[in-house]
Coordinates of all heavy atoms in Angstrom, one line a residue:
M1 N 4.4 -8.9 -5.3 CA 5.1 -8.1 -4.4 C 4.2 -7.9 -3.2 O 3.0 -7.6 -3.3 CB 5.5 -6.7 -5.0 CG 6.0 -5.8 -4.0 SD 6.5 -4.2 -4.7 CE 8.2 -4.6 -5.2
K2 N 4.7 -7.9 -2.0 CA 3.9 -7.7 -0.8 C 3.8 -6.1 -0.6 O 4.8 -5.4 -0.6 CB 4.6 -8.3 0.4 CG 4.9 -9.8 0.2 CD 3.9 -10.7 0.8 CE 4.3 -12.1 0.7 NZ 4.9 -12.7 -0.4
L3 N 2.6 -5.7 -0.5 CA 2.3 -4.2 -0.3 C 1.6 -4.0 1.0 O 0.6 -4.7 1.2 CB 1.5 -3.7 -1.5 CG 2.1 -3.9 -2.9 CD1 1.1 -3.7 -4.0 CD2 3.3 -3.0 -3.1
D4 N 2.0 -3.1 1.8 CA 1.3 -2.7 3.0 C 0.4 -1.5 2.6 O 0.7 -0.6 1.9 CB 2.2 -2.2 4.1 CG 3.0 -3.4 4.7 OD1 2.6 -4.5 4.5 OD2 3.9 -3.1 5.5
L5 N -0.9 -1.6 3.1 CA -1.9 -0.6 2.8 C -2.1 0.2 4.1 O -2.3 -0.4 5.2 CB -3.2 -1.3 2.3 CG -3.1 -2.2 1.1 CD1 -4.5 -2.7 0.8 CD2 -2.5 -1.5 -0.1
Y6 N -2.2 1.5 3.9 CA -2.4 2.4 5.0 C -3.5 3.4 4.7 O -3.7 3.7 3.5 CB -1.1 3.2 5.3 CG 0.0 2.4 5.8 CD1 0.9 1.8 4.9 CD2 0.3 2.2 7.2 CE1 2.0 1.1 5.3 CE2 1.3 1.4 7.6 CZ 2.2 0.9 6.7 OH 3.2 0.1 7.1
R7 N -4.2 3.8 5.7 CA -5.2 4.8 5.5 C -4.7 6.1 6.0 O -4.3 6.2 7.2 CB -6.5 4.5 6.2 CG -7.7 5.4 6.0 CD -8.2 5.5 4.6 NE -8.7 4.3 4.1 CZ -9.0 4.1 2.8 NH1 -8.8 5.0 1.9 NH2 -9.5 2.9 2.4
R8 N -4.7 7.2 5.2 CA -4.2 8.5 5.6 C -5.3 9.2 6.3 O -6.5 8.9 6.1 CB -3.7 9.3 4.4 CG -2.7 10.3 4.7 CD -2.0 10.8 3.4 NE -2.9 11.3 2.5 CZ -2.6 11.7 1.2 NH1 -1.4 11.5 0.8 NH2 -3.5 12.1 0.4
S9 N -5.1 10.2 7.1 CA -6.1 10.9 7.9 C -7.1 11.6 6.9 O -8.3 11.8 7.4 CB -5.5 12.0 8.8 OG -4.7 12.9 8.0
D10 N -6.8 11.9 5.7 CA -7.7 12.5 4.8 C -8.5 11.4 4.0 O -9.3 11.7 3.1 CB -7.1 13.4 3.8 CG -6.1 12.7 2.9 OD1 -5.9 11.5 3.0 OD2 -5.5 13.4 2.0
G11 N -8.3 10.1 4.3 CA -9.0 9.0 3.7 C -8.3 8.4 2.6 O -8.8 7.3 2.1
A12 N -7.2 8.9 2.1 CA -6.5 8.3 1.0 C -5.9 7.0 1.3 O -5.5 6.8 2.5 CB -5.4 9.3 0.5
L13 N -5.8 6.1 0.4 CA -5.2 4.8 0.5 C -3.8 4.9 0.1 O -3.5 5.1 -1.1 CB -6.0 3.7 -0.3 CG -5.5 2.3 -0.1 CD1 -5.7 1.8 1.3 CD2 -6.1 1.4 -1.1
V14 N -2.8 4.7 1.0 CA -1.4 4.8 0.7 C -0.8 3.4 0.6 O -1.1 2.5 1.5 CB -0.7 5.6 1.8 CG1 0.8 5.6 1.5 CG2 -1.3 7.0 1.9
V15 N -0.1 3.1 -0.5 CA 0.5 1.8 -0.8 C 2.0 1.9 -0.6 O 2.6 2.7 -1.2 CB 0.1 1.4 -2.2 CG1 0.7 0.0 -2.5 CG2 -1.4 1.5 -2.4
V16 N 2.6 1.0 0.2 CA 4.0 1.0 0.5 C 4.5 -0.4 0.4 O 3.9 -1.3 1.0 CB 4.3 1.5 1.9 CG1 5.8 1.5 2.2 CG2 3.7 2.9 2.2
P17 N 5.5 -0.7 -0.4 CA 6.1 -2.0 -0.5 C 6.5 -2.5 0.9 O 7.0 -1.7 1.7 CB 7.4 -1.9 -1.3 CG 7.1 -0.7 -2.2 CD 6.3 0.2 -1.4
A18 N 6.1 -3.7 1.3 CA 6.3 -4.2 2.7 C 7.8 -4.0 3.1 O 8.0 -3.7 4.3 CB 5.9 -5.6 2.8
R19 N 8.7 -4.1 2.3 CA 10.1 -4.0 2.7 C 10.5 -2.5 3.1 O 11.4 -2.3 3.8 CB 11.1 -4.4 1.6 CG 11.1 -3.5 0.3 CD 12.0 -4.0 -0.7 NE 11.5 -5.3 -1.1 CZ 11.9 -5.9 -2.2 NH1 12.8 -5.4 -3.0 NH2 11.4 -7.1 -2.6
F20 N 9.7 -1.5 2.7 CA 9.9 -0.2 3.1 C 9.1 0.3 4.3 O 9.3 1.3 4.8 CB 9.6 0.8 1.9 CG 10.4 0.6 0.7 CD1 9.9 0.8 -0.6 CD2 11.7 0.2 0.8 CE1 10.7 0.6 -1.7 CE2 12.5 0.0 -0.4 CZ 12.0 0.2 -1.6
A21 N 8.1 -0.6 4.6 CA 7.1 -0.2 5.6 C 7.7 0.2 7.0 O 7.1 1.1 7.7 CB 6.1 -1.3 5.8
P22 N 8.8 -0.4 7.5 CA 9.3 0.0 8.8 C 9.6 1.5 8.9 O 9.7 2.1 10.0 CB 10.5 -0.8 9.0 CG 10.3 -2.1 8.2 CD 9.5 -1.6 7.0
D23 N 9.8 2.2 7.7 CA 10.2 3.6 7.7 C 9.0 4.5 7.7 O 9.1 5.7 7.6 CB 11.1 3.9 6.5 CG 12.4 3.1 6.6 OD1 12.9 2.9 7.8 OD2 12.9 2.7 5.6
V24 N 7.8 3.9 7.6 CA 6.5 4.7 7.5 C 6.2 5.3 8.9 O 6.1 4.5 9.9 CB 5.4 3.9 6.9 CG1 4.1 4.6 6.9 CG2 5.8 3.4 5.5
P25 N 5.9 6.6 9.0 CA 5.5 7.2 10.2 C 4.1 7.0 10.6 O 3.2 7.8 10.5 CB 5.8 8.7 10.0 CG 5.5 8.8 8.5 CD 6.0 7.6 7.9
V26 N 3.8 5.8 11.1 CA 2.4 5.4 11.4 C 1.8 6.1 12.7 O 0.6 6.2 12.9 CB 2.2 3.9 11.5 CG1 2.4 3.2 10.2 CG2 3.0 3.3 12.6
L27 N 2.7 6.5 13.6 CA 2.2 7.0 14.9 C 2.3 8.5 14.9 O 1.9 9.1 15.9 CB 3.0 6.4 16.0 CG 2.8 4.9 16.2 CD1 3.7 4.4 17.3 CD2 1.4 4.5 16.4
A28 N 2.7 9.2 13.8 CA 2.8 10.6 13.8 C 1.4 11.2 13.8 O 0.5 10.7 13.2 CB 3.6 11.1 12.6
P29 N 1.3 12.4 14.4 CA 0.0 13.1 14.4 C -0.5 13.3 12.9 O 0.3 13.7 12.1 CB 0.2 14.4 15.0 CG 1.4 14.2 15.9 CD 2.3 13.2 15.2
G30 N -1.6 12.9 12.6 CA -2.1 12.9 11.2 C -1.4 12.0 10.3 O -1.5 12.1 9.1
G31 N -0.8 11.0 10.9 CA 0.0 10.0 10.1 C -0.9 8.9 9.5 O -2.0 9.2 9.1
L32 N -0.4 7.7 9.4 CA -1.0 6.7 8.7 C -1.5 5.6 9.6 O -0.9 5.3 10.6 CB -0.1 6.1 7.6 CG 0.5 7.0 6.6 CD1 1.6 6.3 5.8 CD2 -0.5 7.6 5.7
R33 N -2.6 4.9 9.3 CA -3.1 3.8 10.0 C -3.0 2.6 9.2 O -3.6 2.5 8.1 CB -4.6 4.1 10.4 CG -5.2 3.0 11.3 CD -6.6 3.3 11.7 NE -7.5 3.6 10.5 CZ -8.1 2.7 9.8 NH1 -8.0 1.5 10.0 NH2 -8.9 3.1 8.8
Y34 N -2.3 1.6 9.7 CA -2.1 0.3 8.9 C -3.4 -0.4 8.7 O -4.2 -0.5 9.7 CB -1.1 -0.6 9.7 CG -1.0 -2.0 9.1 CD1 -0.2 -2.2 8.0 CD2 -1.6 -3.1 9.7 CE1 0.0 -3.4 7.4 CE2 -1.5 -4.3 9.1 CZ -0.7 -4.5 8.0 OH -0.6 -5.8 7.5
I35 N -3.7 -0.9 7.5 CA -4.9 -1.6 7.2 C -4.6 -3.1 7.1 O -5.1 -3.9 7.9 CB -5.6 -1.2 5.9 CG1 -6.0 0.3 6.1 CG2 -6.8 -2.0 5.6 CD1 -6.5 0.9 4.8
R36 N -3.7 -3.5 6.1 CA -3.3 -4.9 6.0 C -2.2 -4.9 4.9 O -1.9 -4.0 4.2 CB -4.5 -5.8 5.6 CG -5.0 -5.5 4.2 CD -6.2 -6.5 3.9 NE -6.8 -6.1 2.6 CZ -7.8 -5.2 2.5 NH1 -8.2 -4.6 3.6 NH2 -8.3 -4.9 1.4
T37 N -1.6 -6.1 4.8 CA -0.7 -6.4 3.7 C -1.3 -7.3 2.7 O -2.0 -8.2 3.0 CB 0.6 -7.2 4.4 OG1 1.1 -6.4 5.4 CG2 1.6 -7.5 3.3
V38 N -1.1 -7.0 1.4 CA -1.6 -7.8 0.3 C -0.4 -8.2 -0.6 O 0.7 -7.6 -0.5 CB -2.6 -7.0 -0.6 CG1 -3.8 -6.6 0.3 CG2 -2.0 -5.7 -1.2
D39 N -0.6 -9.3 -1.3 CA 0.4 -9.8 -2.2 C -0.2 -9.7 -3.6 O -1.1 -10.4 -4.0 CB 0.7 -11.3 -1.9 CG 1.9 -11.8 -2.6 OD1 2.6 -11.0 -3.3 OD2 2.2 -13.0 -2.4
R40 N 0.4 -8.7 -4.4 CA -0.1 -8.4 -5.8 C 1.1 -8.4 -6.7 O 2.2 -7.9 -6.3 CB -0.8 -7.1 -5.8 CG -2.0 -6.9 -5.1 CD -3.2 -7.6 -5.6 NE -3.4 -7.4 -7.0 CZ -4.2 -8.1 -7.8 NH1 -5.0 -9.0 -7.2 NH2 -4.3 -7.8 -9.0
E41 N 0.9 -8.8 -7.9 CA 1.9 -8.6 -9.0 C 1.7 -7.2 -9.4 O 0.6 -6.7 -9.6 CB 1.6 -9.5 -10.2 CG 1.9 -11.0 -9.8 CD 3.3 -11.3 -9.5 OE1 4.2 -10.6 -10.1 OE2 3.6 -12.2 -8.7
L42 N 2.8 -6.4 -9.6 CA 2.7 -5.0 -10.0 C 2.1 -4.9 -11.3 O 1.5 -3.9 -11.6 CB 4.1 -4.4 -9.9 CG 4.7 -4.2 -8.6 CD1 6.1 -3.6 -8.7 CD2 3.8 -3.4 -7.7
A43 N 2.2 -5.9 -12.2 CA 1.6 -5.8 -13.5 C 0.1 -5.7 -13.5 O -0.5 -5.3 -14.5 CB 2.0 -7.0 -14.3
T44 N -0.5 -6.0 -12.4 CA -2.0 -6.0 -12.3 C -2.5 -4.6 -11.8 O -3.7 -4.3 -11.8 CB -2.6 -7.0 -11.3 OG1 -2.1 -6.7 -10.0 CG2 -2.1 -8.4 -11.7
L45 N -1.5 -3.7 -11.5 CA -1.8 -2.4 -11.0 C -1.6 -1.4 -12.2 O -0.8 -1.6 -13.1 CB -1.0 -2.0 -9.8 CG -1.2 -3.0 -8.6 CD1 -0.2 -2.7 -7.5 CD2 -2.6 -2.8 -8.1
G46 N -2.2 -0.2 -12.0 CA -2.0 0.8 -13.0 C -0.6 1.4 -13.1 O 0.2 1.4 -12.2
D47 N -0.2 1.8 -14.3 CA 1.1 2.3 -14.6 C 1.5 3.5 -13.7 O 2.6 3.5 -13.2 CB 1.3 2.7 -16.1 CG 1.2 1.6 -17.0 OD1 1.4 0.4 -16.6 OD2 1.0 1.8 -18.2
A48 N 0.6 4.4 -13.4 CA 0.9 5.6 -12.6 C 1.2 5.2 -11.2 O 2.1 5.7 -10.6 CB -0.3 6.6 -12.7
L49 N 0.5 4.2 -10.6 CA 0.7 3.7 -9.3 C 2.1 3.1 -9.2 O 2.8 3.4 -8.2 CB -0.4 2.8 -8.8 CG -0.3 2.3 -7.4 CD1 -1.0 3.3 -6.5 CD2 -0.9 0.9 -7.2
V50 N 2.4 2.2 -10.1 CA 3.7 1.5 -10.1 C 4.8 2.5 -10.3 O 5.8 2.4 -9.6 CB 3.7 0.4 -11.2 CG1 5.1 -0.2 -11.3 CG2 2.6 -0.6 -10.9
L51 N 4.6 3.5 -11.1 CA 5.7 4.5 -11.3 C 5.9 5.3 -10.0 O 7.0 5.5 -9.6 CB 5.3 5.5 -12.4 CG 6.3 6.6 -12.7 CD1 7.6 6.0 -13.2 CD2 5.7 7.5 -13.8
D52 N 4.8 5.7 -9.3 CA 5.0 6.4 -8.1 C 5.7 5.6 -7.0 O 6.5 6.1 -6.3 CB 3.6 6.8 -7.5 CG 3.1 8.1 -8.2 OD1 3.8 8.7 -8.9 OD2 1.9 8.4 -8.0
I53 N 5.4 4.3 -6.9 CA 6.0 3.4 -6.0 C 7.5 3.4 -6.3 O 8.4 3.5 -5.5 CB 5.4 2.0 -6.0 CG1 4.0 2.0 -5.4 CG2 6.3 1.0 -5.3 CD1 3.3 0.7 -5.6
G54 N 7.9 3.3 -7.6 CA 9.3 3.2 -8.0 C 10.0 4.5 -7.8 O 11.2 4.5 -7.4
L55 N 9.3 5.6 -8.0 CA 10.0 6.9 -7.8 C 10.1 7.4 -6.4 O 11.0 8.0 -5.9 CB 9.3 8.0 -8.6 CG 9.4 7.9 -10.2 CD1 8.5 8.9 -10.8 CD2 10.8 8.0 -10.6
N56 N 9.0 7.1 -5.6 CA 8.9 7.7 -4.3 C 8.9 6.6 -3.1 O 9.0 7.0 -2.0 CB 7.5 8.4 -4.1 CG 7.4 9.5 -5.2 OD1 8.3 10.3 -5.4 ND2 6.2 9.4 -5.9
G57 N 8.8 5.4 -3.5 CA 8.8 4.3 -2.4 C 7.4 4.1 -1.8 O 7.2 3.3 -0.9
Y58 N 6.4 4.8 -2.3 CA 5.0 4.7 -1.9 C 4.2 5.3 -3.0 O 4.7 6.0 -3.9 CB 4.8 5.4 -0.6 CG 4.7 6.9 -0.7 CD1 3.5 7.6 -0.8 CD2 5.9 7.6 -0.6 CE1 3.5 8.9 -0.9 CE2 5.9 9.0 -0.8 CZ 4.7 9.7 -0.9 OH 4.7 11.0 -1.0
A59 N 2.9 5.1 -2.9 CA 1.9 5.7 -3.9 C 0.6 5.9 -3.2 O 0.3 5.2 -2.2 CB 1.8 4.9 -5.1
V60 N -0.2 6.8 -3.7 CA -1.6 6.9 -3.2 C -2.5 6.3 -4.3 O -2.4 6.6 -5.5 CB -2.0 8.4 -3.1 CG1 -3.5 8.5 -2.7 CG2 -1.1 9.0 -2.0
A61 N -3.2 5.2 -3.9 CA -4.1 4.5 -4.8 C -5.4 5.2 -5.0 O -6.0 5.7 -4.1 CB -4.3 3.1 -4.3
R62 N -5.8 5.3 -6.3 CA -7.1 6.0 -6.6 C -7.8 5.1 -7.6 O -7.2 4.3 -8.3 CB -6.8 7.4 -7.2 CG -6.2 8.3 -6.3 CD -5.9 9.7 -7.0 NE -5.3 10.6 -6.1 CZ -4.0 10.8 -5.8 NH1 -3.1 10.0 -6.4 NH2 -3.6 11.7 -5.0
G63 N -9.1 5.4 -7.7 CA -9.9 4.7 -8.8 C -9.9 3.2 -8.7 O -10.0 2.6 -7.7
A64 N -9.6 2.6 -9.9 CA -9.6 1.2 -10.1 C -8.5 0.5 -9.2 O -8.7 -0.6 -8.6 CB -9.4 0.8 -11.5
D65 N -7.4 1.2 -9.1 CA -6.3 0.6 -8.2 C -6.8 0.5 -6.8 O -6.5 -0.5 -6.1 CB -5.0 1.4 -8.3 CG -4.3 1.2 -9.6 OD1 -4.3 0.1 -10.2 OD2 -3.6 2.2 -10.1
E66 N -7.4 1.6 -6.3 CA -7.9 1.6 -4.9 C -8.9 0.5 -4.7 O -8.8 -0.3 -3.7 CB -8.4 2.9 -4.5 CG -8.9 2.9 -3.1 CD -9.4 4.3 -2.6 OE1 -9.6 5.2 -3.4 OE2 -9.7 4.4 -1.4
A67 N -9.8 0.4 -5.6 CA -10.9 -0.7 -5.5 C -10.3 -2.1 -5.5 O -10.7 -2.9 -4.7 CB -11.9 -0.5 -6.6
L68 N -9.3 -2.3 -6.4 CA -8.7 -3.6 -6.5 C -8.0 -3.9 -5.2 O -8.1 -5.0 -4.6 CB -7.7 -3.6 -7.6 CG -6.9 -4.9 -7.8 CD1 -7.9 -6.0 -8.3 CD2 -5.8 -4.7 -8.9
L69 N -7.2 -3.0 -4.7 CA -6.4 -3.3 -3.5 C -7.3 -3.4 -2.2 O -7.0 -4.2 -1.3 CB -5.4 -2.1 -3.2 CG -4.2 -2.1 -4.3 CD1 -3.5 -0.8 -4.2 CD2 -3.3 -3.3 -4.0
R70 N -8.4 -2.6 -2.2 CA -9.3 -2.7 -1.0 C -10.0 -4.1 -1.0 O -10.3 -4.6 0.1 CB -10.3 -1.6 -1.0 CG -9.7 -0.2 -0.7 CD -10.7 0.8 -0.7 NE -11.7 0.5 0.3 CZ -12.8 1.2 0.5 NH1 -13.0 2.3 -0.2 NH2 -13.7 0.8 1.3
S71 N -10.2 -4.6 -2.2 CA -11.0 -5.9 -2.2 C -10.1 -7.1 -2.1 O -10.6 -8.2 -1.9 CB -11.8 -5.9 -3.5 OG -11.0 -6.0 -4.6
W72 N -8.8 -6.9 -2.3 CA -7.9 -8.1 -2.3 C -7.7 -8.6 -0.9 O -7.4 -7.8 0.1 CB -6.6 -7.7 -2.9 CG -5.8 -8.8 -3.4 CD1 -4.6 -9.3 -2.8 CD2 -6.0 -9.6 -4.5 NE1 -4.2 -10.4 -3.5 CE2 -5.0 -10.6 -4.6 CE3 -7.0 -9.6 -5.5 CZ2 -4.9 -11.6 -5.6 CZ3 -6.9 -10.6 -6.5 CH2 -5.9 -11.5 -6.5
P73 N -7.7 -9.9 -0.6 CA -7.5 -10.4 0.7 C -6.1 -10.1 1.2 O -5.1 -10.1 0.4 CB -7.8 -11.9 0.6 CG -7.6 -12.2 -0.8 CD -7.9 -10.9 -1.6
G74 N -5.9 -10.0 2.5 CA -4.6 -9.7 3.1 C -3.9 -11.0 3.3 O -4.4 -12.1 3.2
V75 N -2.6 -10.8 3.6 CA -1.7 -11.9 4.0 C -1.1 -11.6 5.3 O -1.1 -10.5 5.8 CB -0.5 -12.1 3.0 CG1 -1.1 -12.5 1.6 CG2 0.3 -10.9 2.8
D76 N -0.6 -12.6 6.0 CA 0.0 -12.4 7.3 C 1.3 -11.7 7.2 O 2.2 -12.2 6.5 CB 0.2 -13.8 8.0 CG 0.8 -13.7 9.4 OD1 1.2 -12.5 9.8 OD2 1.0 -14.7 10.0
P77 N 1.4 -10.4 7.7 CA 2.6 -9.7 7.5 C 3.9 -10.3 8.1 O 5.0 -10.1 7.7 CB 2.4 -8.3 8.2 CG 1.2 -8.5 9.0 CD 0.5 -9.7 8.5
L78 N 3.7 -11.2 9.1 CA 4.9 -11.9 9.7 C 5.5 -12.9 8.8 O 6.7 -13.2 8.8 CB 4.5 -12.5 11.0 CG 4.0 -11.5 12.1 CD1 3.6 -12.3 13.3 CD2 5.1 -10.5 12.4
T79 N 4.7 -13.4 7.8 CA 5.2 -14.4 6.9 C 5.3 -13.8 5.5 O 5.7 -14.5 4.6 CB 4.2 -15.7 6.8 OG1 3.0 -15.2 6.3 CG2 4.1 -16.4 8.1
A80 N 5.0 -12.5 5.4 CA 5.0 -11.9 4.1 C 6.5 -11.7 3.6 O 7.4 -11.5 4.3 CB 4.3 -10.5 4.2

């Protein structure tokens, strides 16, 4: 699944499925700053992160999930 990664003003890494990304308020004061798009199988991510994405349409990555997503190479969002 293509996931867009954003940095929140408090430093948190926010994960949004690329198909939902156009609805993300990136320019709002204190909003989100786009980092990159990654292509990951959801099965490689933690259950809590996947559940949050399913329930909320986004999740805040922490711990091992954050490290994995930060280290994963990006893909071109125009071809994603």
Side-chain angles (χ1 to χ4, degrees):
M1 173 179 271
K2 308 262 186 322
L3 302 168
D4 286 350
L5 305 181
Y6 296 87
R7 183 65 63 192
R8 204 166 59 188
S9 60
D10 65 358
L13 182 66
V14 179
V15 182
V16 181
R19 68 180 63 163
F20 300 147
D23 298 327
V24 175
V26 294
L27 298 177
L32 305 172
R33 183 178 53 85
Y34 174 78
I35 298 173
R36 68 178 172 276
T37 300
V38 298
D39 190 4
R40 295 290 310 172
E41 292 296 327
L42 291 180
T44 64
L45 301 171
D47 292 341
L49 184 85
V50 174
L51 180 62
D52 281 349
I53 290 171
L55 293 175
N56 304 311
Y58 73 96
V60 175
R62 294 179 178 87
D65 286 327
E66 181 176 8
L68 179 69
L69 290 166
R70 288 182 58 185
S71 67
W72 200 255
V75 297
D76 182 354
L78 297 177
T79 61

